[in-house]
Amino acid sequence: MGLNNVSLREQNIVLIGFMGAGKTTIGKAVARKLYRDFIDIDEEIEKEFNMPTPQIFQVFGEKTFREKEKEIIQDFCKNQRLKIISLGGGAFLQKEIKETCLANSIVFYLSLSWESWKERISMIIDNRPVLQGKNYEEMKELFEKRQPIYEEHHSKVTTDNQNVEEIADYIVSSLKTAWDIYEPNR
């Protein structure tokens, strides 16, 4: 089917960025403000396997996780609308996911500096399999290596030193401005 001809107002909003950047928390706030459903792709994958992400990696491996991730994201982006979707930090590593999201949704990159991110490590490390067993330098290397994958987006939001409501308000405001500019009579 595909949603390429869907108006901007009805397109899904996809949030990308490094793990721990706040995609889920901010996504829920945006969804609340726009009266839309919020979808966390990692939660959807966990429902499919009936187990948490670290266990999926352990039992089935990252390859199987990434295949399911691609299947679920492509389904949401191509066949559903009016959703706020949070992608896992590694999802945009897959070219097909990146292309599908950019073609069928409005993609916001939540950018967080290394300095701000490292303050969150203790809160996020337990349920992030790709961080397991890594030392501080290896985490920084992964952080820096992943930054270029997020550079293809429709809008970038720097989240350092801002609270969730401020970021959500900025996203909603920028969406409404774009809707008014590109679809003024809807």
Side-chain angles (χ1 to χ4, degrees):
M1 176 174 133
L3 297 177
N4 283 337
N5 298 326
V6 172
S7 78
L8 283 176
R9 292 173 195 267
E10 294 179 354
Q11 286 185 4
N12 292 323
I13 310 306
V14 171
L15 303 180
I16 64 168
F18 197 65
M19 63 190 99
K23 298 177 298 288
T24 298
T25 307
I26 293 164
K28 287 178 180 176
V30 171
R32 189 181 71 246
K33 291 171 186 293
L34 291 176
Y35 304 98
R36 291 187 176 196
D37 291 333
F38 173 76
I39 305 295
D40 181 303
I41 293 299
D42 286 348
E43 284 180 13
E44 295 298 313
I45 296 167
E46 290 175 347
K47 284 182 206 168
E48 291 270 335
F49 285 95
N50 198 27
M51 62 179 68
T53 299
Q55 196 176 349
I56 298 168
F57 269 66
Q58 189 176 25
V59 174
F60 297 99
E62 184 174 1
K63 185 175 187 281
T64 299
F65 178 90
R66 296 293 175 203
E67 287 168 0
K68 181 56 71 175
E69 178 180 57
K70 181 169 68 175
E71 176 188 312
I72 291 172
I73 292 169
Q74 288 183 323
D75 177 53
F76 273 106
C77 288
K78 289 180 176 179
N79 302 316
Q80 300 189 44
R81 51 175 95 165
L82 296 170
K83 307 276 188 254
I84 307 298
I85 302 172
S86 166
L87 301 192
F92 253 43
L93 289 166
Q94 296 188 62
K95 185 179 177 211
E96 299 96 329
I97 289 176
K98 185 184 288 192
E99 289 172 353
T100 298
C101 290
L102 290 167
N104 297 285
S105 306
I106 301 170
V107 179
F108 280 86
Y109 165 35
L110 301 185
S111 174
L112 184 67
S113 71
W114 167 252
E115 294 303 315
S116 293
W117 185 81
K118 70 182 183 181
E119 293 172 11
R120 300 178 182 193
I121 291 173
S122 63
M123 295 184 299
I124 65 170
I125 195 164
D126 290 339
N127 56 0
R128 300 307 198 287
V130 295
L131 294 180
Q132 299 305 310
K134 286 191 171 38
N135 65 34
Y136 187 74
E137 286 306 311
E138 291 168 322
M139 286 183 204
K140 184 172 185 182
E141 187 180 310
L142 179 66
F143 180 89
E144 290 171 352
K145 183 178 156 193
R146 288 232 181 133
Q147 295 311 302
I149 71 166
Y150 308 125
E151 287 306 317
E152 287 183 69
H153 53 263
H154 296 113
S155 186
K156 179 177 178 178
V157 182
T158 302
T159 61
D160 288 13
N161 305 315
Q162 292 190 67
N163 70 43
V164 171
E165 293 301 316
E166 289 172 332
I167 298 164
D169 286 342
Y170 173 81
I171 291 171
V172 169
S173 173
S174 64
L175 285 167
K176 288 182 176 177
T177 299
W179 294 338
D180 289 345
I181 291 170
Y182 296 107
E183 299 175 340
N185 299 322
R186 292 189 126 235

